[in-house]
Amino acid sequence: MTNPANEHAQVDIWVDPVCPFAWLTSRWLLEVEKVRPVKVAVHLMSLAVLNENKDIPADYREMLATAWAPVRVALAVEQQYGSEKLAEFYTAIGTRIHVQKEDRKDAIVGALADLGLPAELIELGDSDANDVALRESHHQGMDPVGDEVGTPVVRINGKSLFGPVITRAPKGEAAGRLFDGFSLVTEFDYFYELKRSRDTDLVFD
């Protein structure tokens, strides 16, 4: 990937705050920003929207019932304070959910407080008033990759792909090398899939 001097390539990632795999991929991309000339933008998708008409296990559907509030509040942060504040909120709430293992509602309250945002924004988590905008953001990310995948979705070089799915976020040059490989496959319009069964636990550090 080549760019004029001092110009950063745009990399977009679509995430749901409750998804641990999206969290790890997003942490990897933050490391990539340190070693490659890229700028990462965070966008929202919704696991609840993605799975609302699918035949899924009852326990997973029960989990999705509590997934609405975090993404709705995240959307409100983006709408009222902009995309950079959304990225900050995503980091704050993700740290609380995935690293500190907080209850999702507690994580929302804590993340809002961390950033000095109005506590009453949590009320929007129980409202579907902005779900049209949420679905628009969701489909912007998910439609290019189809309905057989989940999150994360990363767009680079104008090409959207599901993944990479990783169990830990590499640091430093290792993060850069993984990005180089990911960037390379996006150059081929006929490339669709690489996959193997996951046999390691997720590491949040």
Side-chain angles (χ1 to χ4, degrees), residues 18-114:
V18 305
C19 179
F21 296 104
W23 170 255
L24 287 172
T25 301
S26 71
R27 299 309 93 181
W28 159 63
L29 287 176
L30 291 182
E31 286 293 313
V32 172
E33 283 189 322
K34 301 175 184 178
V35 295
R36 295 293 186 271
V38 303
K39 177 64 177 175
V40 178
V42 175
H43 308 277
L44 296 170
M45 60 82 67
S46 168
L47 288 175
V49 171
L50 181 68
N51 292 283
E52 61 185 349
N53 296 318
K54 294 183 179 180
D55 183 14
I56 58 177
D59 57 344
Y60 188 58
R61 188 164 297 284
E62 183 178 350
M63 182 282 293
L64 291 177
T66 64
W68 284 104
V71 73
R72 283 169 169 168
V73 175
L75 177 68
V77 171
E78 180 181 29
Q79 289 178 327
Q80 297 183 31
Y81 298 94
S83 57
E84 290 188 6
K85 189 61 70 175
L86 166 63
E88 294 177 17
F89 179 77
Y90 178 63
T91 289
I93 193 173
T95 299
R96 289 176 172 274
I97 290 175
H98 304 296
V99 180
Q100 300 173 4
K101 308 301 182 184
E102 290 187 6
D103 172 84
R104 291 173 179 177
K105 283 292 183 73
D106 292 340
I108 296 172
V109 172
L112 291 172
D114 290 342

Side-chain angles (χ1 to χ4, degrees), residues 144-163:
V145 295
D147 58 3
E148 297 177 355
V149 299
T151 179
V153 166
V154 174
R155 180 178 295 163
I156 178 175
N157 294 330
K159 180 72 171 291
S160 296
L161 289 174
F162 165 58

